[in-house]
């Protein structure tokens, strides 16, 4: 499961203080915050877009993610930003947001890819995941 891959990667990276981004409504976002808290992470805050269907998720672009995170003022205590949702396109966010916020950014998609390659026995350097 993508979410479990993200948890595994976050633990492997030693990241404990996480800022969570979702395209979902508040209720679903809080479920994710609770899930991560139960897994031993400290969620330093969250940003959500309030969308309710898959079509809206797939139309989320880098600018939307970027502006939402800027508006929500990501906590300086955060060690990493976690983009939760396999239906959002996150490549540019993962590539450019670390420069803006000064901390790594991972998504469920990048975590899933990393863990899949690792389980296949392929060597993937973490620095290739954390731009």
């Amino acid at each position: 499961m993508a979410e479990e891959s993200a948890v595994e990667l976050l633990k492997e990276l030693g990241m404990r203080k996480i800022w969570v981004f979702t395209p979902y409504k508040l209720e679903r976002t809080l479920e994710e915050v609770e899930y991560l808290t139960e897994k031993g992470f400290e969620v330093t805050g969250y940003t959500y877009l309030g969308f309710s269907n898959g079509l809206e998720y797939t139309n989320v672009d880098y600018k939307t993610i970027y502006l939402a995170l800027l508006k929500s003022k990501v906590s300086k205590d955060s060690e990493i930003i976690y983009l939760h949702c396999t239906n959002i396109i996150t490549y540019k966010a993962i590539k450019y947001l670390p420069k803006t916020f000064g901390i790594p950014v991972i998504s469920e998609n990048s975590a899933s890819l990393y863990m899949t390659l690792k389980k296949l026995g392929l060597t993937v350097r973490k620095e290739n995941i954390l731009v």
Side-chain angles (χ1 to χ4, degrees):
M1 189 164 107
E3 192 172 41
E4 291 169 352
S5 292
V7 166
E8 189 175 339
L9 179 57
L10 288 164
K11 286 183 178 180
E12 190 174 302
L13 295 170
M15 300 292 180
R16 294 283 169 225
K17 296 179 179 184
I18 302 166
W19 187 276
V20 177
F21 170 89
T22 81
Y24 307 124
K25 292 190 177 219
L26 178 59
E27 182 179 324
R28 176 63 189 98
T29 301
L30 292 176
E31 287 174 0
E32 186 59 23
V33 167
E34 182 180 351
Y35 173 78
L36 291 168
T37 301
E38 288 172 358
K39 295 292 183 182
F41 298 102
E42 178 185 336
V43 177
T44 54
Y46 54 86
T47 303
Y48 67 98
L49 297 179
F51 296 153
S52 60
N53 71 57
L55 184 57
E56 290 175 310
Y57 306 155
T58 58
N59 288 327
V60 173
D61 64 3
Y62 164 71
K63 292 175 193 169
T64 302
I65 296 170
Y66 179 80
L67 290 173
L69 287 167
L70 278 178
K71 286 180 186 176
S72 61
K73 298 181 180 175
V74 174
S75 168
K76 300 264 187 234
D77 293 335
S78 304
E79 297 171 325
I80 194 164
I81 297 170
Y82 168 49
L83 307 177
H84 174 70
C85 181
T86 56
N87 286 331
I88 57 176
I89 298 169
T90 57
Y91 173 74
K92 284 185 180 178
I94 292 168
K95 186 172 181 179
Y96 298 114
L97 287 176
K99 294 173 186 156
T100 299
F101 292 99
I103 58 176
V105 176
I106 67 162
S107 70
E108 272 189 344
N109 295 336
S110 62
S112 294
L113 176 60
Y114 176 81
M115 288 301 163
T116 299
L117 294 172
K118 184 178 172 185
K119 288 178 189 213
L120 289 171
L122 301 172
T123 303
V124 181
R125 297 186 326 205
K126 290 181 192 109
E127 56 269 20
N128 290 338
I129 295 294
L130 302 176
V131 179

